[in-house]
Amino acid sequence: MPREAEPSLNERSFVLQALRENVRIDGRALDAFRDMELSFGSEYGIADVRLGKTRVIARISASITTPFPDRKFDGIFTITTELSPMASPSFEPGRPHPTEPLLTSHLEKALRRSSALDTESLCLLAGQKCWSIRADVHILSHDGGLLDASCIAVIAALQHFRRPDVTVAGEEVRVYSPRERVPVGLTLLHWPLCVTFSFFAARRANAAEAGEMIMVVVVDATLQEEQIREGEVIVTMNRHGEVCQIAKLGGVTVDALTLLNCTNVALVKVQEITKFITRRLEEDAKARDRGGLMAELSAENER
């Protein structure tokens, strides 16, 4: 299996020395995200996220299926990831990369297990028919921060998606085309977003304390920084400060105070990203709503 080109010893020492002096190679602050861009496709449910040089596209699709026997009153929500060979030389078509199951697992915990999507609203006929919502995450460019970008893309795509309107009469379910009725949005209970903290062990630059190891914490690491880091902590929370998941990877030790500081920083970042997603959704809605047509059609649905 091809491997990603690793930083040389000189690059590694240069990055660590810069972090020791609270400087990053790209000029960002230690707790700053890269420039973020979010755009939507011509169809509902397609979100394109660019986080620096990392690019992720999430696509939402819906189909009617049979619910699970032990969840008769709930719909189905699944997440799949695809690492495109164009994203990195180490991603091969047809061969699973170790990053893929790890990325899928974290997205499942952050979005599905935290009940971000109201699956009860997807039920059509208890035990017989329900909506199955599928989120396909495609990685087009990999320069670090895959989980953070993927989580933003899925949340934005879910909020942007519109499923066909339906009516239930007895045991008969009728699905309306977009020409007949305006599609209906999904119900999201909250917006959990991931913030990844990378940990680096570096020696103090102060001559009086030379040799003493310090822990440098960085937000939104690039691919080069990810290859050098000694550990990471993933904090998933919503804008209300409710922690949905905390995952620690790597052998570096993290004390309680550092973890608490990470959650405080994560809350600020999540609130900023939530406002950014909301603003982009409003801009897209205005661009699609020509002359108030959508509001007029929605009123027709209600009548």
Side-chain angles (χ1 to χ4, degrees), residues 84-286:
S84 173
M86 73 175 69
S88 172
S90 61
F91 300 157
E92 288 186 292
R95 295 186 63 179
H97 192 271
T99 305
E100 188 171 351
L102 194 62
L103 177 61
T104 304
S105 174
H106 285 306
L107 288 175
E108 287 269 345
K109 293 177 182 177
L111 301 174
R112 191 175 64 84
R113 297 186 186 179
S114 67
S115 300
L117 179 63
D118 183 13
T119 54
E120 290 186 3
S121 65
L122 303 177
C123 179
L124 299 175
L125 286 173
Q128 299 182 37
K129 292 184 179 180
C130 69
W131 283 108
S132 175
I133 305 298
R134 171 170 170 163
D136 294 296
V137 182
H138 304 275
I139 310 299
L140 300 184
S141 180
H142 177 28
D143 189 36
L146 287 184
L147 179 60
D148 298 356
S150 299
C151 194
I152 295 171
V154 174
I155 286 293
L158 284 173
Q159 190 66 24
H160 186 257
F161 179 70
R162 300 292 185 271
R163 63 167 177 81
D165 194 13
V166 298
T167 56
V168 180
E171 294 187 358
E172 181 181 353
V173 178
R174 179 182 177 185
V175 181
Y176 294 91
S177 67
R179 292 181 178 272
E180 296 174 313
R181 285 196 176 185
V182 178
V184 182
L186 301 176
T187 303
L188 268 66
L189 302 178
H190 63 127
W191 292 8
L193 296 171
C194 296
V195 179
T196 303
F197 297 85
S198 301
F199 291 80
F200 302 84
R203 298 187 182 278
R204 290 188 181 274
N206 190 350
E209 300 176 343
E212 182 182 351
M213 299 298 294
I214 59 173
M215 192 63 63
V216 181
V217 184
V218 166
V219 174
D220 184 28
T222 62
L223 178 59
Q224 185 183 52
E225 291 172 337
E226 287 183 354
Q227 293 174 321
I228 298 175
R229 69 186 177 192
E230 298 189 16
E232 61 178 313
V233 169
I234 302 167
V235 179
T236 305
M237 63 168 52
N238 55 30
R239 63 187 179 92
H240 305 293
E242 299 169 340
V243 178
C244 306
Q245 171 196 213
I246 293 182
K248 177 186 172 300
L249 305 177
V252 64
T253 58
V254 180
D255 56 62
L257 183 59
T258 302
L259 192 60
L260 184 61
N261 291 334
C262 289
T263 58
N264 293 333
V265 173
L267 176 58
V268 176
K269 299 302 177 183
V270 167
Q271 291 175 341
E272 292 175 354
I273 296 173
T274 300
K275 292 179 180 178
F276 173 74
I277 296 175
T278 303
R279 185 175 69 252
R280 293 295 295 117
L281 286 168
E282 291 174 352
E283 293 173 357
D284 181 79
K286 290 180 181 179

Side-chain angles (χ1 to χ4, degrees), residues 59-76:
R59 182 186 181 94
I60 309 298
S61 58
S63 61
I64 295 180
T65 185
T66 304
F68 295 123
D70 57 338
R71 310 282 293 187
K72 296 181 180 181
F73 300 97
D74 289 345
I76 300 174

